[in-house]
């Protein structure tokens, strides 16, 4: 039965027959039935042909609309049905037996419903059921204003659509269609068990819980969190999320155990400033050191983004001083507003700490790969067509130790660089680069003067390219000028305060590409054979008087062996008269072009001795260089192999070897191993893994997809071990276990970081994650993601909200 909108004029009382009926059956399926006209057959009479119409096309329909505007809701009718309906038209309707009222996203069912149209009030008694936009409620008695969706429900149980949370209470007050207040409430995301079944593993009990599905925030008063029947957290007030959306409020405490700082406890407070800005405060305490306060600010704009972090300890009892660390990262674009000029890129990275011992006491705090060298770097960049400009200011903070002095790198205050690149101009490629940099450091440690260095590089090349070959001659001209703040102390330029150097370089790069169809291990393959020859010549010029500011020896690998200069930077240009020969074979999937395997070899043939070297190095005078062998195999999605060997023919052994393999048959199963040898320096084995322990007794679990685990009741082992064969000891280690309890996860990890040759920092991290509610303890997730290759979270955030039609009545 369809009732008119409430608050209409009264009508005489009417009564319907007392038999099972359904009144005003509405189209609940929301299906649109298409109608097609029929085109008459060929040769039909003109009367039929004239009546033909083009076939209708299906169009999208708004019938399954997720949300309705308030003015739309007011215009919607109310539908009722039941076994017996009595009442007075436009005044009241009484429904007995299988009673139901439906209106604009709300469904009410009960044994008996009395609906008063002037007040739009429904009174339901006996086995009351409510569905509000997919959120379901069960109780014994309810009074609801249908349009406003306000009222109450007695002795209820409930289940929320977004996160599957459910619970019970003595009463629920519905404030409106988005907000409700649950009295004497319970709340959990654990699976709902049949009545009389097992209790949920974790549950919140509170005198009052307020739910706001518009902001996706729940608030509990006088609440406590129970796990396995044991209270573990309690507070007079706390808030929690109803979805993965961000919200302001206190986060669960973080607790971990460190062998130096003791028990570290922090209670973060998160501030959701805007959809693109947030901040987090980290007040805490270290049992052996004292109080700490950290703050982090993040922002994301269309033209720029960044993150800043400050950690401050007012008084460190172990060092008897205050401590602090600061990290700032910013990157973006500055709009000039002039179309012909374009925009300017900006980048800034600031890393500062309070003292020289900071890296030793807080090894994870700096975020720098070189813990004792902290870069403070800012740059501006601009490019337009073939032109580009770059300016930079770089200053280092060097953390010194009296027993281990570090030679500080050079600050660049400033560096200015300009380039002009032109490609395929009448078949030629051109490049001109100009650079000037002021290098500054502590001369007492570097043992050389500071300087202003300017250089220019001009080069021209003419590539000849075909589908099966390439041939590229190139000519370069290097020019450098130095101005020193003190006289040079050695070499042929000793006593001078300036120096110049001009050198040409010629190179010729060529190669061929052959391919054939083949079949290996039952798989069709396109195999290539790619020989390559690279010749370069640079005359000798004595550079022994020039200091070293930004130059080192290039790593010897398959990429750098085909380059004109053996050094990186611009303080040394190697004299060369050499030929590099290489051979590569690739195995390609003929349908997708994916590379299944690559094999490569390269070696240099030197026609004359190299004489230019670094001050602490020796020239390379071997006629034949070490041989480089490389292999990469990705034959299928489960197995991967990568290896590189630098083999010295004169000694008959490898100088450097890197071998790596990875096996990942499915989600949450990955095992990787790496072997690294650097002759006379280091030899290490590195193993990382994530694997379900239930596999050991044949329980393979369920394939629920990435981010959902393999099913509840399963253990996982995770870790990474780095072992030094040279020192016969573990260097850095991380081992841990994870348990998936369905609605909760447990993680424990033990981490050891080698800080010096004789000391290490150790800590234990333990965390309970109550799915859909909070994480309690010290999170090892960031450490696991950073250290374990291809580590997968047991629960990934789902950014899409479920439709109300997924729980539609």
């Amino acid at each position: 039965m369809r009732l008119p909108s409430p608050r209409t004029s009264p009508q005489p009382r009417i009564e319907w027959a007392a038999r099972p009926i359904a009144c005003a059956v509405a189209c609940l399926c929301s299906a649109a039935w298409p109608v097609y006209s029929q085109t008459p057959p060929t040769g039909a009479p003109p009367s039929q042909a004239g009546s033909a119409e083009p076939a209708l096309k299906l169009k999208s329909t708004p019938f399954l609309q997720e949300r309705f505007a308030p003015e739309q809701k007011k215009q919607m009718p109310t539908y009722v049905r039941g076994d017996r309906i009595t009442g007075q038209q436009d005044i009241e309707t009484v429904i007995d037996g299988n009673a139901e009222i439906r209106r604009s996203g709300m469904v009410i069912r009960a044994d008996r419903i009395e609906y008063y149209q002037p007040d739009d009030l429904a009174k339901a008694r006996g086995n009351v059921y409510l569905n509000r936009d997919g959120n379901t409620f069960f109780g014994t008695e309810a009074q609801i204003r249908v349009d406003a969706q306000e009222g109450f429900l007695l002795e209820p149980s409930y289940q929320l659509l977004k996160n599957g949370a459910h619970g019970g209470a003595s009463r629920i007050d519905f404030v409106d269609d988005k907000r409700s207040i649950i009295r004497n409430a319970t709340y959990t995301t654990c699976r709902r068990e049949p009545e009389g079944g097992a209790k949920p593993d974790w549950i919140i009990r509170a005198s009052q819980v307020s739910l706001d599905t518009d902001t996706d925030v729940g608030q509990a008063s006088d609440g406590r969190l129970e796990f396995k029947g044991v209270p573990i957290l309690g507070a007079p007030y706390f808030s929690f999320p109803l979805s993965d959306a961000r919200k302001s409020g206190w986060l669960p405490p973080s607790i971990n155990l460190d062998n130096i700082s003791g028990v570290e406890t922090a209670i973060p407070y998160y501030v959701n400033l805007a959809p693109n800005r947030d901040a987090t405060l980290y007040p805490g305490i270290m049992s052996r050191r004292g109080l700490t306060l950290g703050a982090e600010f993040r922002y994301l704009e269309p033209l720029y983004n960044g993150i800043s972090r400050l950690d401050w300890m007012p008084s460190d009892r172990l060092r008897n001083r205050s401590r602090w660390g600061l990290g700032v990262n910013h990157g973006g674009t500055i709009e000039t507003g002039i179309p012909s000029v374009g925009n300017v890129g900006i980048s800034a990275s600031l890393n500062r700490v309070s003292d020289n011992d900071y890296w030793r006491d807080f090894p994870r705090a700096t975020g720098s790969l070189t813990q004792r060298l902290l870069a403070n770097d800012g740059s501006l960049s601009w490019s337009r067509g073939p032109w580009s400009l770059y300016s930079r200011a770089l200053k280092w903070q060097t953390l010194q130790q009296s027993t281990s002095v570090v030679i500080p790198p050079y600050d660049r205050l400033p560096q200015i660089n300009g380039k002009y690149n032109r490609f395929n101009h009448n078949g030629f490629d051109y490049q001109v680069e100009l650079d000037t940099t002021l290098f500054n450091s502590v001369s007492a440690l570097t043992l050389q003067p500071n300087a202003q260095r300017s250089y220019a590089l001009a080069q021209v090349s003419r590539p000849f390219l075909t589908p099966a070959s390439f041939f590229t001659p190139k000519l370069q001209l290097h020019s450098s000028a130095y101005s020193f703040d003190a006289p040079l102390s050695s070499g042929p330029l000793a006593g001078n305060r300036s120096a110049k150097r001009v050198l040409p370089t010629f190179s010729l790069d060529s190669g061929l590409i052959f391919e054939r169809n083949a079949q290996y291990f039952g798989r069709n393959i396109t195999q290539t054979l790619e020989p390559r020859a690279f010749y370069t010549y640079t005359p000798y010029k004595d550079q022994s008087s020039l200091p070293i500011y930004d130059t080192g020896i290039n790593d010897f690998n398959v990429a750098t062996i085909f380059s004109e200069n053996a050094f990186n930077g611009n303080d040394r240009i190697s004299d060369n008269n050499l030929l590099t020969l290489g051979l590569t074979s690739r195995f390609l999937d003929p349908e997708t072009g994916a590379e299944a395997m690559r094999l490569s070899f390269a070696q240099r043939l030197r026609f004359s001795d190299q004489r230019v070297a670094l001050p602490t190095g020796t020239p390379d005078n071997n006629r034949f260089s070490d041989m480089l062998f490389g292999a990469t195999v990705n034959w299928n999605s489960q197995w991967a192999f990568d290896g590189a060997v630098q083999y010295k023919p004169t000694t008959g052994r490898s100088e450097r070897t890197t071998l790596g393999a990875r096996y990942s048959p499915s989600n949450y199963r990955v095992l990787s191993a790496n072997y690294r040898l650097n002759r006379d320096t280091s030899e290490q084995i590195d193993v990382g893994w994530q694997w379900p322990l239930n596999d050991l007794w044949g329980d393979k679990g369920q394939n629920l997809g990435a981010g959902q685990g393999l099913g509840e009741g399963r253990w996982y082992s995770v870790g990474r071990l780095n072992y030094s064969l040279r020192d016969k000891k573990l260097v850095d280690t991380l081992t841990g276990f994870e348990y998936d309890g369905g609605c909760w996860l447990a993680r424990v990890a033990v981490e050891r970081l080698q800080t010096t040759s004789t000391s290490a920092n150790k800590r234990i991290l333990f965390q309970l994650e109550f799915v859909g509610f909070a994480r309690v303890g010290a999170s090892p997730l960031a450490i696991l993601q950073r250290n374990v290759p291809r580590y997968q979270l047991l629960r990934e955030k789902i950014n899409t909200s479920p439709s109300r039609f997924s729980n539609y009545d």
Side-chain angles (χ1 to χ4, degrees):
M1 176 181 181
R2 172 172 171 168
L3 298 181
S5 299
R7 305 183 187 281
T8 57
S9 58
Q11 299 292 330
R13 181 180 180 88
I14 58 177
E15 182 173 325
W16 289 269
R19 60 184 177 86
I21 59 174
C23 300
V25 179
C27 180
L28 303 181
C29 298
S30 301
W33 293 90
V35 178
Y36 297 95
S37 62
Q38 182 178 4
T39 303
T42 304
S47 59
Q48 293 184 9
S51 62
E53 296 180 358
L56 298 178
K57 295 183 178 179
L58 292 176
K59 296 182 179 180
S60 60
T61 171
F63 290 167
L64 295 177
Q65 188 171 332
E66 283 288 345
R67 295 289 181 265
F68 295 98
E71 55 271 14
Q72 290 178 297
K73 290 186 176 182
K74 292 179 180 179
Q75 298 174 2
M76 290 182 176
T78 301
Y79 295 89
V80 301
R81 68 178 179 180
D83 296 340
R84 176 184 178 87
I85 301 178
T86 61
Q88 184 177 0
Q89 187 174 0
D90 297 335
I91 297 295
E92 67 173 339
T93 302
V94 179
I95 314 164
D96 282 306
N98 299 312
E100 178 181 312
I101 291 182
R102 179 185 301 273
R103 186 178 184 188
S104 62
M106 158 101 52
V107 177
I108 306 174
R109 293 179 186 150
D111 294 338
R112 176 185 174 90
I113 298 178
E114 301 172 4
Y115 178 59
Y116 299 90
Q117 285 179 254
D119 297 328
D120 193 29
L121 178 65
K123 297 181 179 180
R125 294 183 179 86
N127 298 311
V128 179
Y129 166 83
L130 275 72
N131 187 320
R132 303 198 329 158
D133 293 327
N135 300 314
T136 56
F137 304 84
F138 299 85
T140 58
E141 181 180 343
Q143 289 190 18
I144 304 292
R145 296 188 183 276
V146 180
D147 186 27
Q149 294 195 22
E150 63 181 37
F152 67 85
L153 177 65
L154 300 182
E155 300 179 26
S157 62
Y158 64 91
Q159 182 159 354
L160 304 183
L161 174 65
K162 281 190 176 181
N163 60 358
H166 62 90
S170 61
R171 174 185 172 115
I172 295 181
D173 291 316
F174 301 107
V175 180
D176 53 33
D177 62 335
K178 302 295 183 185
R179 296 175 296 162
S180 56
I181 300 174
I182 309 175
R183 316 286 182 179
N184 301 316
T186 62
Y187 178 95
T188 183
T189 63
C190 293
R191 182 177 56 201
R192 180 190 288 272
E193 300 290 346
E195 188 172 353
K199 294 183 178 180
D201 288 340
W202 70 267
I203 194 170
I204 296 174
R205 300 186 186 276
S207 61
Q208 177 178 299
V209 172
S210 300
L211 302 179
D212 189 334
T213 57
D214 188 30
T215 61
D216 287 334
V217 174
Q219 298 174 338
S221 300
D222 297 326
R224 68 180 185 272
L225 171 63
E226 295 181 3
F227 178 60
K228 296 291 187 179
V230 179
I232 60 173
L233 282 178
Y237 167 85
F238 60 85
S239 61
F240 53 92
L242 301 181
S243 70
D244 291 328
R246 300 179 301 162
K247 72 175 191 68
S248 298
W250 291 102
L251 302 178
S254 170
I255 305 172
N256 67 78
L257 181 62
D258 186 276
N259 67 317
I260 297 176
S261 301
V263 179
E264 301 177 358
T265 305
I267 306 178
Y269 186 83
Y270 177 79
V271 184
N272 186 24
L273 301 172
N276 59 336
R277 292 188 182 92
D278 63 15
T280 308
L281 303 177
Y282 297 90
I285 186 171
M286 297 182 182
S287 61
R288 296 179 182 175
R289 296 187 182 275
L291 297 175
T292 65
L293 179 62
E296 183 180 83
F297 174 62
R298 303 186 301 177
Y299 53 93
L300 176 63
E301 298 287 348
L303 294 178
Y304 60 89
N305 62 85
I307 181 172
S308 300
R309 173 73 187 240
L310 173 65
D311 293 289
W312 178 54
M313 182 177 292
S315 178
D316 185 350
R317 293 195 297 266
L318 295 182
R319 295 287 183 180
N320 295 319
R321 70 178 86 155
S322 63
R323 318 288 296 277
W324 58 267
L326 175 65
V328 177
N329 286 282
H330 174 86
T333 302
I334 301 174
E335 290 184 317
T336 63
I338 306 174
S340 59
V341 175
N343 298 331
V344 177
I346 182 172
S347 177
S349 178
L350 178 66
N351 298 278
R352 305 288 294 180
V353 296
S354 57
D355 54 82
N356 288 330
D357 295 315
Y358 201 89
W359 70 277
R360 187 198 304 271
D361 294 340
F362 311 105
R364 304 169 187 86
T366 62
S368 173
L369 295 177
T370 53
Q371 292 181 319
R372 297 178 63 183
L373 298 175
L374 306 181
N376 298 272
D377 197 357
S379 65
L380 295 173
S381 60
W382 171 88
S383 63
R384 194 72 172 175
W387 299 94
S388 64
L389 293 175
Y390 175 77
S391 62
R392 181 187 190 189
L394 170 64
K395 186 172 182 61
W396 295 89
Q397 181 183 9
T398 305
L399 307 184
Q400 298 286 11
Q401 298 287 315
S402 58
T403 57
S404 176
V405 176
V406 175
I407 298 177
Y410 278 88
D411 300 333
R412 305 185 187 196
L413 298 172
Q415 177 184 7
I416 301 175
N417 181 280
K419 290 182 180 180
Y420 175 82
N421 291 283
R422 191 72 179 267
F423 298 100
N424 197 23
H425 181 67
N426 297 324
F428 287 86
D429 295 342
Y430 304 94
Q431 178 180 325
V432 177
E433 180 180 2
L434 303 175
D435 186 285
T436 182
T437 305
L438 179 62
F439 292 99
N440 186 72
S441 188
V442 182
S443 297
L445 295 177
T446 61
L447 303 179
Q448 58 184 26
N450 299 322
Q452 172 93 36
R453 186 195 68 193
S454 301
Y455 76 84
L457 170 64
Q459 67 180 32
V460 58
S461 62
R462 175 58 170 95
F464 297 91
L465 306 175
T466 71
S469 65
F470 64 91
F471 181 82
T472 307
K474 181 193 292 185
L475 185 63
Q476 297 178 326
L477 183 64
H478 309 262
S479 177
S480 302
Y482 294 81
S483 178
F484 307 106
D485 66 353
L488 295 174
S489 59
S490 62
L493 299 179
N496 289 0
R497 286 180 171 266
S498 63
K500 294 182 178 180
R501 178 194 62 199
V502 179
L503 277 172
T505 296
F506 170 76
S507 66
L508 182 62
D509 196 4
S510 62
L512 299 172
I513 303 174
F514 303 97
E515 66 177 41
R516 65 165 186 168
N517 295 325
Q519 191 175 69
Y520 296 99
F521 306 106
R523 179 177 179 181
N524 292 328
I525 288 293
T526 298
Q527 182 183 3
T528 70
L529 189 65
E530 305 171 29
R532 182 179 180 184
F534 177 82
Y535 174 78
T536 182
Y537 175 79
T538 303
Y540 168 74
K541 188 175 185 65
D542 189 354
Q543 304 166 54
S544 58
S545 296
L546 300 180
I548 300 298
Y549 297 109
D550 66 349
T551 300
I553 299 178
N554 278 333
D555 184 58
F556 189 66
N557 55 47
V558 176
T560 60
I561 198 172
F562 294 97
S563 60
E564 290 88 357
N565 193 5
F567 304 100
N568 56 63
N570 292 280
D571 297 315
R572 291 290 186 273
I573 299 175
S574 60
D575 56 317
N576 285 324
N577 183 15
L578 56 84
L579 175 67
T580 302
L581 298 177
L583 184 64
T584 298
S585 182
R586 293 184 295 156
F587 299 75
L588 309 175
D589 188 298
E591 296 183 359
T592 64
E595 188 176 274
M597 184 166 61
R598 175 195 291 255
L599 304 174
S600 57
F601 164 81
Q603 187 179 25
R604 279 177 175 169
L605 288 74
R606 190 175 296 278
F607 302 116
S608 61
D609 293 344
Q610 177 184 323
R611 300 166 64 186
V612 177
L614 295 176
T616 57
T618 57
D620 185 1
N621 296 324
N622 295 314
R623 286 291 181 264
F624 293 92
S625 72
D626 294 348
M627 297 179 180
L628 292 177
F629 298 90
T632 301
V633 181
N634 293 285
W635 199 257
N636 56 40
S637 60
Q638 298 182 0
W639 285 95
F641 172 81
D642 185 76
V645 176
Q646 178 182 336
Y647 177 78
K648 183 180 284 295
T650 56
T651 61
R653 62 181 186 179
S654 65
E655 289 298 302
R656 289 199 312 173
T657 300
T658 302
L659 302 175
R662 186 188 70 248
Y663 175 60
S664 181
S666 61
N667 288 324
Y668 304 101
R669 294 178 175 91
V670 60
L671 175 63
S672 63
N674 293 275
Y675 169 79
R676 294 184 292 270
L677 167 68
N678 196 343
R679 184 70 62 185
D680 300 327
T681 302
S682 65
E683 187 177 10
Q684 294 183 342
I685 295 176
D686 189 277
V687 179
W689 71 92
Q690 180 185 26
W691 207 273
L693 293 178
N694 295 54
D695 284 8
L696 297 176
W697 47 89
D699 179 9
K700 299 296 183 180
Q702 310 170 57
N703 184 15
L704 302 177
Q708 299 301 314
L710 298 174
E712 62 180 89
R714 302 184 62 80
W715 285 91
Y716 300 80
S717 175
V718 294
R720 185 170 183 175
L721 303 177
N722 185 272
Y723 182 79
S724 173
L725 296 172
R726 181 183 178 90
D727 301 324
K728 293 182 174 56
K729 67 176 183 180
L730 288 170
V731 182
D732 295 333
T733 62
L734 174 65
T735 57
F737 296 93
E738 293 182 290
Y739 179 77
D740 188 343
C743 62
W744 61 275
L745 308 171
R747 302 181 183 92
V748 60
V750 180
E751 182 188 30
R752 179 186 184 275
L753 289 180
Q754 193 79 26
T755 54
T756 68
S757 58
T758 59
S759 63
N761 183 270
K762 312 178 193 71
R763 64 172 176 170
I764 300 175
L765 303 99
F766 175 76
Q767 182 186 67
L768 278 174
E769 177 178 348
F770 301 101
V771 177
F773 176 61
R775 294 169 176 163
V776 179
S779 175
L781 288 177
I783 300 172
L784 294 173
Q785 289 176 304
R786 187 170 58 247
N787 289 277
V788 179
R790 293 202 171 191
Y791 171 81
Q792 289 182 287
L793 294 172
L794 296 181
R795 295 293 186 276
E796 289 276 10
K797 290 184 178 181
I798 300 176
N799 295 324
T800 57
S801 299
S803 168
R804 67 187 178 95
F805 296 103
S806 62
N807 194 17
Y808 186 73
D809 287 310

